[in-house]
Amino acid sequence: MKVRVHSLFFYSIIQRKLRSKGIFLGASSILFALYLSPSALGESQNPMQQTGQGRFLQMENKYFRFEIGENAQNVRFLDKTNGADYCQEGAPTAFASIKKQGNTYFASAASLHDGRLALIFGESGIRAEIKITSKQNYFIFEVISVSEHDIDELTFIDIPLRVKGTLEEPFAACALALNLKTFGCQIPGPNTHLLAKCFPRFGLEGAACAIIGCPPQELRGFIQEVVTASPELPKSSLGGAWALDADINKGSYMIDFYADQVSEATIDNWIKAAKQVGATQIVFHAGKSFRFGDYAPNPELYPRGLESVRDVVAKIHAAGLSAGLQTYAFFMAKDAPWVTPIPDPCLEKDATFTLSEPTTKESTTVLVEESTENMSTLTAFHVMNSVTLQIENELIEYRGIDKSKPYAFTQCERGVLGTTVSEHPKGAAVHHLKERFGLFAPEGDSTLFTEIADRTAEVYNTCDFDLLYIDALDGATLYGPGEVYEYYAAKYAYEVVKRLKRPACIGLSTFSHHLWHIVSRLNARDAPHMAYKMFIDCHFNANQIDERKLLPLNMGWWCAYFGPWRSMATQFMYPEDIEYLCCKSLAGRYSLSLLAGFAPEELSTYALSKQMAGIINRYEKIRLSGSISNEVKARLSAQEDFTLALGPDQVWRFKPIQYMKHKIEGDDRREAEWTVSNPFERQPLRMRIEALMSASPYDSASSVQLTNCLNPEEFSQPVCSRGVSSTYEIATDPEKSGKPCGAYSAINKQGNPYCAWSALTKEFAVAPDLVDHGFGLWVYGDGKGETINLHLQTPWHVSSGIRDYYIVADFTGWRYCMLVESESERLRDYRWPYFYKDPVNTPTGDYGLPYSYADAATEFKPGFVSKDLQWDSLFWMNYAKVNKLSVYYGNLPENKEVKCHIGPIKALHLQKKTMKNPTIVIGGEAVTFPVELESGCYIEFRSMADCWAYNQEGDVIEKIEPRGKAPMLDAGGNAFQFSCDPDSNKENVRAAVTIMATGEPFGEPMRFDTEGN
C-alpha cells in the first residue's frame, strides 16, 4: 500500500540504483518508502503529481486508488480491478469542510508533508492537519491539529461515491470510525458516501477514520483487521465484524414481557415452552424481574437475590438453552438507591432555578427567580419530561406552574420517593430532573453513568447470562439530538461491554455506526397489533436492504395474541399469520424473537396455541438446519402465502396457499352471496367461519354522537394530497328523508387514484372513551367507488397506533354502515399520509423512510408494501384517549368529482351475538354446521370428518358433524352463499368466511418426528 507523491521519473531512478546493488523491489514498496520519507531523495516539501487536470495527491493500495487535487477536491476513486472511477459524477466536491457559526467553508487547498495532509478552508483561514497512515488493506486518517477550535464541526473526510452500496456490486468502500470522537460514517458495510466528522464538544484532535475499498467478499475480513488493530474499538467475537460467524446469533428467543416472569417457580414451564416453539434462548425482561438501574432481583420471584437468578440460568443452560437479560440502558427506577432515600447529585437535569423565597416544611409552592415559561406538567411514557424537582436532598413533585411573575411550581407534594421533607433557604438551587419512560437517568459524563454500566455488567457476569438486550438505548435523545444522542448511546454500551467477562450476544433498541461493533443481530421491532402480513412484508423488505450491514437479522418482535375481543385494539391472530412470518424468516435466514403474548403453560392448554407452536418449531428446525435450497427460499420470499403441508406419504413439503376472506355484514344480505376464484386445481373445500361481534342499534340510548356532520366548524379545513381539491358544507338531503347530513366532495387531478386523498379532522376537547365500541353512520353514496375512511388517532405521547374503518362508496342512495373491526390487510391498498412519509401533512414516525412523492404517485399499486411504511402506526391503540376523528376520502377517480352525504357518526357499544346453524352453499350443494357460536368463536372445516368449533382463546369447544355433501372447490370461479338462523332478536349475525385453496407442492421433502424434529 502506498501514497504517491512523486513522479514516475524518481521511481525509475531508484529502481535502477537498487538493481545495480542486487536489490529488487516492486513499485509499491518503493513508493511506500518514498511516502514514509519524502525528503530522502531531496524532494520538495510539497510533492504533488502533475496531470492534465492539475496537481494532485494520490493514495493507492491493492484494490483502489484515491486522488485529491491541490485544490482539496476529490479527483478520482478508482477500482483497480476494472478501472472504474467511483467518484460521484457532476461538479467536483471538496474532500473536507468546516462549519463555523452556521456557515460552511470547504477545503480550498491541500498539501502533503511527511505523511500529513495540510488543509486550508477558504476565507475562514482555518487550517487542519490530517495524518495519513498506510496499512496493508486500508488507510487511516487522523485529525492531528485544527488551528481554531471555535467551530461547529470539522468534516475531515467527504467522498461521495457513484455506487448503490449493495453487496451485489463489484466494488465496496467503507469508512470506519476508530473512536467515539468520530461521527458521520454510514453503517459499516458497502457505503455510498465516505464521510467522517468531529465536534469540539467531544474533541477534534484524535478523531480518526479508516477507509477501505475492495471487492464486497473481502470487506468483512478487512473490517475485522481494522477493529483488531484499533485500541479504542470494542472487540466482540459475537458482534460486529464477527457476528455472522457466531451460532448463538442465529437462534431465536422468547421474552417474558406479557406473560408470567421467568422465576424459580416458572422456569420449567418456560423451558418447555421454548422447546415447543423451537427457541434456543430465554430472555428475562427487567422491570418486573429486576429493578431498572441497579437490577436488584424482585424478591417475590428470586427470594435469594442474584443467587436465585444464577440457579435459574443454570437450569436453562442444563436444558441446552441460553439465557438473556433485557435492560433499560442507563435508566433507573424511581425506587433505585440513587434516587431514594437520598437522591444522587448526578441525576440528569434539564433546568436549574433559584429559590426566590425560602421553603418551609409546610410549603406547597416553590417560588423561583427564573422564568418557568418552558416548563410543563405533561408526562407520559414517551414524553421526555418529569414533574420532579430536586432541592438539596429532597425530591418534590408539582402539579401546577405559574408562568408569570412571581414564577412558581404549585400544588407541590413534598418529600416524594422516600426523601425527607426539609427547609430550604432562599437562593438554593432548584433542579428540574429529566425523565423518560417513567424513569430517571444519570448525567452523561458523571460517575453515576458508569456506575450503572458497571452494575449491569456485574449482574450479567454474576448470573452467567449469555445474551444482553440493551433496550431503551434510544432514550439517549434525553442528552441531546444528533451526534450527542449517538455519542452517549454508544458510550454507555461500550462501558457495559468492556466490563463483561465473556462476550454477549447483544441486541439494542437503537443503532448507529459506533454500535455496529457490538451488535450481534439487528432489526427486532415492536410488535404489531394488526395488519400482521403487511407488517411482515415491510419488515422483510427492510431486512433485505439491511443485508448490506453484514449482521445477522431478526424478524421479531412478535406477539402471539389469542382472543379477538380481549381488546378491540388487537386483531385476532390465526395460524396463517404465524406461518407467513415463519416463511419469511426461513426465506431470509432471519431469527425470530417472540414477546410471549401468552403464559407458557398455554402452549399446552389451547389447541390453537399448540398448533402455532408446532408451526414455529418446524420452521425453526428447517432454518437452523440450512437444508432448504436457495430456489425454495427465493420463492418463499414472495409477497404470497405458503404452507408446510403433510402429504399422505407422511412427508412435509411446501405448497402455495390462498386465504380468500369475505365478510357478511349482518342484515345486508347482498353480501351473503359472493364469488371465489380458485387459482389452483379442483380440490376439497377447506374453510373457516367466524362469528363476528356486532354493535348496539344506531338509535340506542347508550350511543355516543361523535359528530353531527352538519356544522363545518366542527372540522378543520380539508387537507389534501397534491393535485386534489375538496369542500365540505351543510347539505340538503338528496332524498328529502329528513336525515341530517353534510356534503363532502373532492376531485383528483394528480393521476394515481390510490395516492389521492382528502381529509377533514375534528379534535375532541375531551377524549371520548371508545373502548369496546364500534361505529355507525348513514352515508348517501354516489356509486363512484371512492373509499370513505373513519380514522381515529390518539395524542402522540399516549400511543403511536392509529385505527381506520373503510366504507367503499360503490352504491347510490342512503345506506347504514356499521363499522366494528378496524382495517388490517386493506391498509396496503391506499397510500394514506400517516402510513408513508409524504411531503403533505405527514407526522414523524420511528420506522418510516422517505420516498419520492412523484414516484409514489405513478408507481404505487394496491397490495404492494415498500420499506417506507410507518410501522409504528400498526402498534397499540388507546381507545380511551382518542383525540382526533378524521374523515378521509381515498381512491379518488381521476378528473371526476366525488360527492357523498354523511350523517351523524356515533360510537356504539359492542355486542355479542349467537350464530346458529351456519350453512354454506357452493355449486348448488349445501353443507350445514349444527352448532351455536358466540361472537369471537369460529369453525375450522377441513373435511366432513375433520370439523371443529373453537372459542376465542383457540380452545376446542366441540367436534362438529356437518350435514350435507362434502363440498368441492372448482378451479376458477365458485359461487358461494351463506346463511344462518336468526338470533333471539331475529337479527342476522355478522360473519366472516375464509376459503383456503392450495397449489402443487414444491421443494425438498422433509420428515419430522412426533417432537417436531
Side-chain angles (χ1 to χ4, degrees):
M1 183 175 291
K2 51 202 175 286
V3 178
R4 283 190 184 170
V5 292
H6 302 279
S7 72
L8 293 177
F9 171 74
F10 292 103
Y11 161 69
S12 61
I13 292 176
I14 296 171
Q15 188 76 292
R16 286 196 300 270
K17 287 184 177 180
L18 291 173
R19 285 178 179 174
S20 69
K21 296 182 179 182
I23 301 172
F24 296 87
L25 292 178
S28 74
S29 300
I30 295 173
L31 291 176
F32 183 48
L34 289 174
Y35 159 65
L36 292 175
S37 182
S39 59
L41 298 177
E43 301 292 341
S44 162
Q45 291 304 297
N46 185 24
M48 305 286 287
Q49 284 281 17
Q50 180 72 42
T51 71
Q53 298 180 6
R55 291 150 60 83
F56 63 88
L57 300 170
Q58 180 173 290
M59 285 163 279
E60 181 178 7
N61 67 10
K62 177 180 178 182
Y63 291 114
F64 77 94
R65 180 187 306 137
F66 175 51
E67 299 169 358
I68 309 172
E70 64 177 346
N71 58 0
Q73 292 184 345
N74 299 308
V75 177
R76 275 179 289 274
F77 201 98
L78 293 173
D79 178 356
K80 292 179 61 178
T81 61
N82 60 16
D85 181 6
Y86 291 113
C87 250
Q88 190 180 68
E89 294 178 322
T93 57
F95 172 74
S97 63
I98 61 162
K99 285 185 179 179
K100 181 178 180 180
Q101 297 178 350
N103 297 314
T104 299
Y105 300 91
F106 294 102
S108 55
S111 59
L112 190 67
H113 300 264
D114 296 327
R116 298 194 175 195
L117 179 65
L119 299 169
I120 301 175
F121 296 90
E123 296 178 357
S124 73
I126 297 174
R127 300 173 61 91
E129 193 171 56
I130 314 296
K131 179 182 177 182
I132 303 175
T133 303
S134 237
K135 299 293 184 179
Q136 182 177 358
N137 294 310
Y138 57 94
F139 291 97
I140 294 176
F141 294 74
E142 181 183 0
V143 178
I144 299 301
S145 66
V146 182
S147 63
E148 184 176 329
H149 279 216
D150 186 20
I151 61 174
D152 303 330
E153 66 181 54
L154 164 66
T155 298
F156 62 96
I157 300 175
D158 190 349
I159 313 169
L161 299 177
R162 187 170 49 85
V163 293
K164 296 179 180 178
T166 69
L167 293 167
E168 290 71 36
E169 294 175 282
F171 184 80
C174 179
L176 204 68
L178 301 184
N179 50 42
L180 289 181
K181 292 181 177 181
T182 309
F183 299 86
C185 301
Q186 294 180 351
I187 299 300
N191 292 169
T192 60
H193 194 160
L194 304 178
L195 187 70
K197 57 179 65 178
C198 52
F199 300 85
R201 173 170 179 169
F202 306 110
L204 300 174
E205 285 81 8
C209 180
I211 296 295
I212 304 170
C214 60
Q217 63 270 22
E218 301 277 4
L219 181 58
R220 193 162 68 95
F222 289 170
I223 294 176
Q224 290 175 347
E225 185 180 324
V226 173
V227 174
T228 300
S230 302
E232 294 186 67
L233 292 181
K235 284 85 174 164
S236 170
S237 60
L238 305 183
W242 290 269
L244 288 171
D245 303 322
D247 287 339
I248 191 173
N249 298 344
K250 302 170 187 175
S252 295
Y253 59 98
M254 295 177 65
I255 311 173
D256 65 339
F257 185 67
Y258 288 117
D260 295 337
Q261 269 56 53
V262 174
S263 68
E264 288 185 300
T266 64
I267 185 56
D268 290 337
N269 286 336
W270 276 100
I271 291 172
K272 182 179 179 181
K275 292 190 173 184
Q276 281 180 277
V277 299
T280 59
Q281 301 151 13
I282 298 174
V283 175
F284 301 54
H285 195 290
K288 295 180 181 178
S289 302
F290 303 83
R291 181 168 57 200
F292 289 134
D294 67 337
Y295 295 98
N298 182 339
E300 295 182 4
L301 302 176
Y302 306 105
R304 294 175 291 117
L306 292 182
E307 185 178 349
S308 289
V309 178
R310 187 169 58 248
D311 287 349
V312 171
V313 171
K315 203 165 190 178
I316 292 173
H317 288 160
L321 306 176
S322 301
L325 173 64
Q326 184 156 343
T327 72
Y328 248 44
F330 40 75
F331 289 98
M332 69 192 82
K334 293 183 177 180
D335 61 347
W338 300 292
V339 178
T340 182
I342 299 176
D344 195 289
C346 294
L347 294 175
E348 177 70 358
K349 312 159 185 73
D350 59 7
T352 298
F353 303 87
T354 307
L355 272 180
S356 60
E357 297 291 339
T359 62
T360 67
K361 292 183 178 181
E362 292 75 29
S363 299
T364 58
T365 297
V366 175
L367 292 158
V368 295
E369 296 281 0
E370 297 82 4
S371 172
T372 56
E373 177 62 30
N374 295 325
M375 307 311 293
S376 170
T377 58
L378 178 64
T379 59
F381 186 78
H382 288 295
V383 176
M384 201 156 53
N385 181 55
S386 80
V387 290
T388 307
L389 305 174
Q390 180 179 356
I391 309 179
E392 298 175 316
N393 290 332
E394 181 185 359
L395 296 180
I396 300 168
E397 290 183 356
Y398 60 88
R399 291 192 295 275
I401 305 170
D402 286 344
K403 295 191 175 185
S404 57
K405 289 187 175 181
Y407 304 117
F409 297 93
T410 63
Q411 304 175 57
C412 292
E413 182 180 354
R414 303 288 302 279
V416 299
L417 303 177
T419 61
T420 301
V421 178
S422 305
E423 295 181 347
H424 305 288
K426 178 180 179 179
V430 180
H431 303 293
H432 181 259
L433 299 186
K434 280 190 179 181
E435 175 183 316
R436 191 168 181 192
F437 312 124
L439 305 168
F440 293 142
E443 293 175 350
D445 295 314
S446 67
T447 55
L448 178 55
F449 188 88
T450 51
E451 191 175 340
I452 294 174
D454 187 71
R455 176 58 178 170
T456 301
E458 180 187 354
V459 172
Y460 177 91
N461 294 331
T462 301
C463 299
D464 295 324
F465 282 112
D466 311 285
L467 304 94
L468 183 63
Y469 194 98
I470 306 179
D471 206 349
L473 197 60
D474 49 320
T477 52
L478 175 139
Y479 296 111
E483 70 279 353
V484 177
Y485 157 66
E486 184 178 332
Y487 175 84
Y488 286 104
K491 177 184 175 181
Y492 177 77
Y494 281 19
E495 291 289 344
V496 173
V497 168
K498 73 182 183 182
R499 290 168 166 79
L500 300 182
K501 293 182 179 179
R502 57 197 177 92
C505 172
I506 289 181
L508 304 169
S509 64
T510 190
F511 192 51
S512 68
H513 179 95
H514 297 114
L515 293 171
W516 182 87
H517 295 289
I518 64 170
V519 170
S520 301
R521 55 187 160 200
L522 194 64
N523 279 5
R525 304 286 187 181
D526 286 319
H529 288 230
M530 56 186 282
Y532 300 127
K533 292 179 183 178
M534 183 178 179
F535 179 92
I536 293 165
D537 286 337
C538 190
H539 196 162
F540 182 80
N541 290 346
N543 274 12
Q544 293 282 284
I545 294 168
D546 283 346
E547 296 274 4
R548 69 184 70 179
K549 295 176 181 175
L550 305 177
L551 294 171
L553 299 168
N554 188 265
M555 278 296 289
W557 293 328
W558 196 259
C559 276
Y561 298 112
F562 303 114
W565 299 111
R566 289 182 179 176
S567 167
M568 67 183 292
T570 299
Q571 176 191 341
F572 190 71
M573 186 179 295
Y574 282 109
E576 58 261 32
D577 300 308
I578 290 292
E579 191 151 27
Y580 197 85
L581 171 71
C582 289
C583 280
K584 301 305 175 273
S585 168
L586 179 57
R589 312 172 309 282
Y590 307 138
S591 62
L592 296 175
S593 47
L594 306 174
L595 284 166
F598 49 86
E601 58 270 19
E602 288 183 358
L603 291 184
S604 302
T605 303
Y606 298 123
L608 180 62
S609 57
K610 285 190 285 187
Q611 183 182 357
M612 289 181 170
I615 292 170
I616 299 172
N617 187 299
R618 283 190 290 274
Y619 276 87
E620 280 294 282
K621 295 288 177 21
I622 296 169
R623 182 180 66 83
L624 292 174
S625 72
S627 60
I628 296 300
S629 67
N630 290 333
E631 291 77 14
V632 171
K633 291 176 185 176
R635 187 165 180 184
L636 294 179
S637 68
Q639 199 169 298
E640 301 171 12
D641 279 280
F642 301 92
T643 185
L644 190 58
L646 180 63
D649 55 357
Q650 299 304 300
V651 168
W652 295 79
R653 296 183 73 189
F654 289 103
K655 287 184 177 182
I657 185 170
Q658 286 200 7
Y659 298 91
M660 295 159 279
K661 187 170 185 175
H662 179 77
K663 194 177 291 187
I664 297 97
E665 294 288 351
D667 291 330
D668 192 347
R669 307 319 297 162
R670 289 165 295 190
E671 294 168 343
E673 297 182 5
W674 73 102
T675 299
V676 169
S677 180
N678 171 23
F680 308 117
E681 297 297 319
R682 176 179 166 86
Q683 57 191 275
L685 177 68
R686 291 178 55 209
M687 65 181 168
R688 178 186 301 126
I689 302 175
E690 302 171 66
L692 301 179
M693 292 290 285
S694 189
S696 59
Y698 184 72
D699 294 324
S700 63
S702 63
S703 66
V704 178
Q705 184 164 292
L706 301 178
T707 173
N708 65 16
C709 286
L710 274 176
N711 187 355
E713 294 180 2
E714 279 193 278
F715 296 96
S716 64
Q717 289 296 313
V719 178
C720 305
S721 62
R722 188 177 304 169
V724 175
S725 58
S726 182
T727 61
Y728 180 73
E729 59 190 358
I730 297 173
T732 302
D733 180 2
E735 293 186 354
K736 310 294 183 184
S737 65
K739 293 185 177 72
C741 61
Y744 188 10
S745 63
I747 186 168
N748 165 30
K749 294 184 178 180
Q750 70 148 335
N752 191 336
Y754 297 96
C755 295
W757 55 266
S758 171
L760 302 166
T761 299
K762 174 180 178 177
E763 296 197 28
F764 297 104
V766 178
D769 186 349
L770 302 180
V771 174
D772 293 332
H773 280 75
F775 307 94
L777 69 159
W778 284 89
V779 175
Y780 190 94
D782 62 2
K784 295 181 180 178
E786 68 272 23
T787 297
I788 301 169
N789 174 11
L790 266 61
H791 171 74
L792 302 179
Q793 188 175 331
T794 59
W796 67 270
H797 63 273
V798 172
S799 72
S800 57
I802 57 87
R803 292 298 180 266
D804 286 357
Y805 299 81
Y806 293 169
I807 301 166
V808 178
D810 56 0
F811 57 91
T812 57
W814 285 109
R815 177 180 293 185
Y816 176 61
C817 303
M818 182 170 65
L819 307 171
V820 178
E821 300 86 14
S822 64
E823 297 301 328
S824 180
E825 294 306 315
R826 283 205 295 175
L827 294 172
R828 68 175 76 202
D829 290 346
Y830 309 97
R831 206 172 189 100
W832 305 116
Y834 42 85
F835 277 134
Y836 296 89
K837 286 212 168 182
D838 190 326
V840 181
N841 192 33
T842 302
T844 299
D846 290 338
Y847 302 116
L849 297 173
Y851 74 103
S852 164
Y853 186 88
D855 291 343
T858 56
E859 297 177 5
F860 176 75
K861 296 178 180 179
F864 176 74
V865 176
S866 65
K867 66 184 183 300
D868 58 339
L869 174 72
Q870 297 282 8
W871 293 354
D872 50 349
S873 299
L874 306 181
F875 299 156
W876 178 72
M877 170 76 172
N878 189 338
Y879 277 89
K881 299 289 180 67
V882 173
N883 71 323
K884 291 182 181 179
L885 166 66
S886 297
V887 182
Y888 273 84
Y889 266 148
N891 190 25
L892 301 176
E894 187 175 3
N895 295 322
K896 291 182 181 178
E897 183 183 46
V898 299
K899 186 174 184 179
C900 289
H901 295 73
I902 301 174
I905 301 173
K906 295 184 179 182
L908 312 171
H909 279 287
L910 294 179
Q911 292 183 341
K912 288 188 175 182
K913 299 284 187 180
T914 300
M915 177 192 292
K916 299 179 181 179
N917 303 322
T919 297
I920 292 289
V921 178
I922 175 175
E925 298 287 345
V927 58
T928 299
F929 304 91
V931 68
E932 293 188 6
L933 292 179
E934 189 179 64
S935 295
C937 301
Y938 61 98
I939 297 168
E940 288 276 359
F941 173 78
R942 291 175 280 271
S943 71
M944 299 296 279
D946 187 5
C947 182
W948 303 83
Y950 297 84
N951 62 20
Q952 65 179 23
E953 283 79 28
D955 197 15
V956 173
I957 300 174
E958 61 178 295
K959 185 175 182 180
I960 302 173
E961 296 183 2
R963 296 196 297 259
K965 184 179 178 181
M968 295 294 293
L969 185 69
D970 287 331
N974 294 263
F976 277 82
Q977 292 178 306
F978 172 86
S979 63
C980 63
D981 298 343
D983 69 0
S984 57
N985 295 319
K986 297 184 178 180
E987 295 177 352
N988 291 304
V989 300
R990 300 175 66 251
V993 179
T994 301
I995 306 300
M996 308 167 193
T998 59
E1000 291 300 312
F1002 65 92
E1004 302 87 346
M1006 291 163 283
R1007 295 184 183 275
F1008 296 92
D1009 60 26
T1010 56
E1011 298 300 320
N1013 299 305

